[in-house]
Amino acid sequence: MAVRSSILGTGSYLPEKRITNADLEKMVDTSDEWIMTRTGIRERRMAAPGQNTSDLAVEASRKALASAGIDAKDLDMIIVATLTPDALLPATACMVQHKLGARMVASFDVVAACSGFVYSLSIADHYIRSGSARYILVIGADVLSRVVDYTDRGTCVLFGDGAGAVVMGPGNGRAEVLYAKLHADGSGAQKLYIPAGGSAIPASRETVDARLHFIKLSGREIFKFAVTATAEAIREAMEDLNLSPGDIGAVIPHQANVRIVDSVAERLPIAREKYFLNLDRYGNTSAASIPIAIDEAAGRDFLKPGMHVILAAFGGGLTWGSAVLRW
Ligand code: UT7
């Protein structure tokens, strides 16, 4: 039985099309200056018509499998964290399983919005540590451009499309998962949500006319929640593992808004330069944000062997959580 799980390989995929702040200036009453100073986002990516969440997930997964040196046929489980599944039925993970040519292994989606990747990593970690699975593909993928209202300047500037994936397997002393802790508070469900299209408010002509199939966001409230939840999740992980600020080599926060990261950094004794950021180029890609960041940080030597790396997520649900890796 494996004692720990490791990340054996990483991959990411961003669609080619860029939506710059100048492009958004032509769609809504906004400005590059407002978007840059309030969010730090310069541009985001948009999937091509017909390019769906499973397609992005498969691209990222192929790279993660290649970097792990694992064949899709060796996978024991596929988990896709997403809030924009290809369809409500079946799970996007089943589409990914088929497209990758994986065996008929358990494949399911996790709906925890922007915290979905950390939730999924924790599930995979438990399966591997218990010996119930050997190799698990964990993907965060979202095509948010399909649920963003491009007439709402309060949300359309924030989000982008992308996918990130990791292959997890029995611990090998590299990139081991030391810890994961998850939280949720459903009392805040309507602070970040898509009102219609589920069983409560099924799709109808009226729901489409009322634009109820798009993301609704209480920006200021989510901002405050994000800062508190992220800072608390990091603090909790450090306390539970008895880590001092000097022990932390890198923090990979959910990439939503540079001001959220700045505020978190102000509240914690971890040096600001240890926080990895790429949100200027991709905006908020929800469940994809942390695995894309891990892939880029690993590729750029931002993550070094032996370093403690904290992943910190928050999102709709409300959900939040952290994980600690020893890279
Ligand atoms: O993964 C979780 C997803 N959600 C988030 O992470 C969002 C968290 N929240 C935020 O990042 C910020 O709250 C926003 C970036 C969404 C908004 O920034 P803010 O500093 O909290 O602005 P605000 O909502 O307080 O709005 C300030 C002003 C308002 O105008 P008035 O009422 O002061 O006249 C807004 O109407 O800015 C206006 N505004 C804009 N102006 C130009 C809102 N969006 C825009 C825009 N361009 N795109």
Side-chain angles (χ1 to χ4, degrees):
M1 189 187 283
V3 178
R4 290 203 173 108
S5 69
S6 274
I7 291 180
L8 306 178
T10 65
S12 59
Y13 174 77
L14 281 309
E16 273 169 37
K17 186 175 177 186
R18 291 176 158 79
I19 305 288
T20 63
N21 293 346
D23 294 328
L24 291 166
E25 284 175 356
K26 292 177 205 136
M27 299 182 204
V28 289
D29 179 15
T30 190
S31 65
D32 175 50
E33 202 259 332
W34 191 96
I35 301 170
M36 278 305 293
T37 53
R38 300 290 181 122
T39 73
I41 301 167
R42 253 176 227 292
E43 59 180 36
R44 58 299 280 145
R45 301 296 180 92
M46 188 187 261
Q51 193 181 31
N52 302 323
T53 298
S54 66
D55 300 312
L56 273 54
V58 164
E59 295 285 345
S61 298
R62 289 209 169 105
K63 293 183 193 169
L65 287 162
S67 106
I70 301 283
D71 194 281
K73 296 219 166 4
D74 294 328
L75 294 171
D76 297 312
M77 181 177 284
I78 298 173
I79 310 177
V80 175
T82 187
L83 67 88
T84 49
D86 285 17
L88 281 181
L89 179 73
T92 298
C94 295
M95 318 272 190
V96 172
Q97 181 239 10
H98 178 63
K99 290 180 186 177
L100 286 177
R103 290 179 296 127
M104 290 182 231
V105 295
S107 303
F108 57 94
D109 292 359
V110 166
V111 186
C114 308
S115 310
F117 178 79
V118 172
Y119 266 65
S120 303
L121 177 115
S122 173
I123 295 168
D125 175 55
H126 279 81
Y127 266 94
I128 292 165
R129 276 196 288 127
S130 73
S132 304
R134 196 164 166 80
Y135 297 121
I136 303 184
L137 178 61
V138 181
I139 307 159
D142 269 303
V143 180
L144 295 169
S145 60
R146 308 269 160 80
V147 293
V148 161
D149 184 348
Y150 287 98
T151 66
D152 173 13
R153 69 177 182 173
T155 54
C156 72
V157 302
L158 303 175
F159 298 105
D161 302 339
V166 301
V167 176
M168 293 178 63
N172 61 6
R174 291 285 315 274
E176 286 190 343
V177 179
L178 303 184
Y179 171 93
K181 188 120 183 217
L182 312 174
H183 297 279
D185 174 10
S187 72
Q190 297 193 346
K191 289 179 182 165
L192 176 50
Y193 73 132
I194 298 175
S199 58
I201 309 179
S204 68
R205 192 178 302 265
E206 290 73 29
T207 61
V208 172
D209 289 346
R211 311 187 78 76
L212 296 182
H213 297 273
F214 294 119
I215 292 179
K216 310 290 176 196
L217 165 74
S218 305
R220 247 176 271 190
E221 285 180 81
I222 290 289
F223 190 99
K224 283 188 216 144
F225 152 71
V227 173
T228 311
T230 308
E232 276 314 306
I234 295 172
R235 205 190 304 275
E236 185 179 35
M238 290 172 68
E239 278 173 16
D240 289 351
L241 290 182
N242 203 16
L243 296 172
S244 67
D247 295 330
I248 311 300
V251 179
I252 300 194
H254 171 45
Q255 308 283 317
N257 185 328
V258 72
R259 286 164 50 226
I260 293 174
V261 179
D262 288 339
S263 303
V264 169
E266 273 169 27
R267 282 166 172 73
L268 294 172
I270 303 169
R272 175 66 174 77
E273 62 270 18
K274 292 184 179 175
Y275 291 77
F276 184 82
L277 284 179
N278 62 10
L279 63 88
D280 55 320
R281 287 174 292 134
Y282 308 136
N284 180 348
T285 56
S286 194
S289 113
I290 289 181
I292 293 171
I294 294 174
D295 186 44
E296 291 201 342
R300 272 195 236 156
D301 278 346
F302 193 89
L303 308 182
K304 298 197 172 58
M307 182 184 255
H308 285 101
V309 181
I310 302 192
L311 314 179
F314 66 89
L318 304 170
T319 54
W320 67 102
S322 65
V324 180
L325 313 171
R326 192 167 43 220
W327 201 252

